[in-house]
Every structure is written in C-alpha cells, then in structure tokens.
Amino acid sequence: MSKFDWAKLNGAGGDGGDPPHRSTPPPLPRRNPWRALPVLILGLLVIYGGYFWMVRRVVVPAGKVLVLLKKNGSRSLPGDQVIVPRAPDQKIDPAGYQKWESQYGDVNGILEQVYPEGVYFGFSPFDYEREVDDAAVVPNDKVGIIFKKFGQKLDAGQVLADPQRDQRGPLPNVLQPARYNEYSNPYAYELKLVDPVKVDPGHRGVVTIMAGSAAKDPDQYLVNDGEQGVQRTTEPEGFRYLNPFVKRITPISITSQRFEM
C-alpha cells in the first residue's frame, strides 16, 4: 500500500499534512414550553365559548316563556309537592327571602317563576330541565280565570282558594285582556277563558253569589246581600267581567210582553 493510500485511510489531506479536526454539530435550540401557552389558552376559550353557546344557551322566542325543573338540589319537596314557590324580593322583604332560602333554596322541583323571551346562559342542562311553553294571554273578548295547582287543599265547603293561606284551587281575581307571565307556568297554574257577561238594554242581571257566607235562612229563594244564593238586588245593563266561581249574572228581560188569549 502506498503512503498516499495510507494517509487517506487516516484522514490526512491530499497534501500530506496533518489530518483536519472534525467539527461537532451545533446544539439544537431548546424549545420554550411557554410559547405554546397562548395557543392553549385560546383553544380553551374556544371550547368554553362553544360549551356556553351550544350547550348552555336557551333561546326563548316571542310569546313564549322558559320553565325550569331544578335537579341539582340535595333534597326533594315534602309530601306531594312538585312546585318550588317564587322567592320574595330580597331587597323588599329580606326576612321573607331568608325564610324561603332556608326552606326551598336547596330542593329539587319545578320552579314557579318563569322567564320571558330572550337568550339565557345561566341554566346548565346538567342542573336544570328546560322547557319553552306558551305565555298566558287573555284575548280581548275573554276573561281569564286562574286555577292554582299547588299549595294546601281547600277546606270543606270552600269554593275559592285563599292566596294568603297558600291554597290550591280557583283564585278570586279576574284577569282582563293582557299577557300574564306570572301565571304562565302550566305545571303551577291553569288559565281558563270565559266570556264576559253582557246585559242588553231592556234586561236586568240576576245576581247569584257562589262564594260567600252561608245563607241564614236557606229555605228562602232570595238571600241577604253577600250570602250564597240569589241576591235581592239586580245589575243594570252593560258588560261585566266576572269570575264565575265568585258571582254569576243571568240576564232577564224586563220589557213588557204581549200575551194573546
């Protein structure tokens, strides 16, 4: 083997000089873990926003209300109750609100309070069952009567529910033509529409009291004012918006009639 070949095998240059030094590769740059943090935060914000928009968002159209069933409480309502009563205004009645909070703040059930049209993000489907229903509306040619579906039972012989005693049954108030969100929960209230009473000219309205004190003399056809039964006084002509569970008016003609034999 020639000296030239031997030098090539030993890494020497072609000129027979000293072998060149082998250069080491430059070190790889270290990756900064904090550079990916903004991308991670942006991704989490997109996911969180998508969760609110796709999962938590509830759209209530015009003429509708949102009814909620709370299911994240720690206990159930007592007895056969299914409705959680509306909470008092904390600013107006702080003592009443504290009492309500201790009694109903952590129970499961259908909330009496409903929410009108709009977009809501505060009611997670994991905490609430959400339902959109029609709002309670009384048209122009009708009268609204409300039946309360929750509360204490009526006493024996009682016709109307007493709101002060939290009773269930027909309420004494009469609803004029309008919209009533407070009575729009179909699980808490039932709206019945009746026709107003019209007493035409030449007629008088015979009044019958349905909800009142018992007649002192039940054998009489006409009773004293305010007692249950047919009243002695009559109503003149005109429109009457009445609760038929409180009072009923029957128009009777008072015009002279010709009778031929």
Side-chain angles (χ1 to χ4, degrees), residues 129-151:
E129 292 288 343
R130 307 171 302 182
E131 181 177 315
V132 177
D133 291 295
D134 295 328
V137 177
V138 179
N140 291 330
D141 58 342
K142 296 291 183 178
V143 176
I145 308 300
I146 291 296
F147 281 77
K148 186 180 177 183
K149 296 181 178 181
F150 66 99

Side-chain angles (χ1 to χ4, degrees), residues 4-261:
F4 179 76
D5 293 333
W6 180 260
K8 289 174 63 178
L9 288 175
N10 286 272
D15 55 356
D18 295 332
H21 295 284
R22 294 182 179 178
S23 60
T24 58
L28 295 175
R30 291 186 177 181
R31 292 185 177 181
N32 186 359
W34 298 104
R35 294 179 60 184
L37 184 60
V39 178
L40 179 61
I41 294 177
L42 180 59
L44 292 177
L45 289 177
V46 171
I47 295 175
Y48 193 64
Y51 162 72
F52 262 78
W53 188 259
M54 302 297 296
V55 179
R56 294 180 69 104
R57 179 174 66 106
V58 182
V59 179
V60 182
K64 304 285 186 177
V65 294
L66 176 63
V67 181
L68 298 174
L69 166 62
K70 184 179 178 181
K71 57 182 182 180
N72 63 344
S74 62
R75 54 193 176 90
S76 301
L77 289 166
D80 60 348
Q81 299 183 44
V82 295
I83 300 295
V84 179
R86 183 183 288 105
D89 193 322
Q90 187 175 5
K91 296 181 180 179
I92 299 177
D93 187 9
Y97 179 83
Q98 291 296 331
K99 182 180 179 180
W100 180 92
E101 184 67 26
S102 62
Q103 187 174 1
Y104 298 106
D106 196 30
V107 298
N108 297 319
I110 302 173
L111 303 185
E112 178 191 358
Q113 181 180 1
V114 298
Y115 296 85
E117 51 266 278
V119 181
Y120 299 91
F121 296 95
F123 306 111
S124 168
F126 304 106
D127 299 330
Y128 297 90
E129 292 288 343
R130 307 171 302 182
E131 181 177 315
V132 177
D133 291 295
D134 295 328
V137 177
V138 179
N140 291 330
D141 58 342
K142 296 291 183 178
V143 176
I145 308 300
I146 291 296
F147 281 77
K148 186 180 177 183
K149 296 181 178 181
F150 66 99
Q152 305 300 320
K153 295 182 179 180
L154 298 177
D155 299 334
Q158 187 178 357
V159 178
L160 296 175
D162 186 358
Q164 302 298 327
R165 298 173 57 189
D166 190 28
Q167 292 180 318
R168 69 183 71 175
L171 299 180
N173 53 327
V174 177
L175 302 184
Q176 302 288 340
R179 170 175 169 168
Y180 298 89
N181 289 335
E182 63 270 28
Y183 299 124
S184 295
N185 191 331
Y187 302 99
Y189 299 98
E190 180 182 359
L191 172 64
K192 287 186 176 295
L193 301 177
V194 297
D195 296 323
V197 178
K198 180 183 179 182
V199 181
D200 293 321
H203 292 71
R204 300 288 291 185
V206 178
V207 179
T208 303
I209 296 295
M210 309 301 297
S213 58
K216 296 180 179 180
D217 189 357
D219 295 331
Q220 297 293 325
Y221 182 75
L222 298 178
V223 298
N224 297 324
D225 293 342
E227 296 178 346
Q228 291 184 5
V230 181
Q231 303 296 295
R232 300 178 183 275
T233 58
T234 59
E235 291 283 340
E237 59 191 47
F239 278 94
R240 301 292 186 277
Y241 295 92
L242 302 173
N243 187 334
F245 293 92
V246 177
K247 180 193 296 186
R248 297 182 183 181
I249 294 180
T250 305
I252 300 295
S253 175
I254 58 173
T255 57
S256 59
Q257 303 291 330
R258 183 176 181 180
F259 179 74
E260 295 183 356
M261 296 291 293

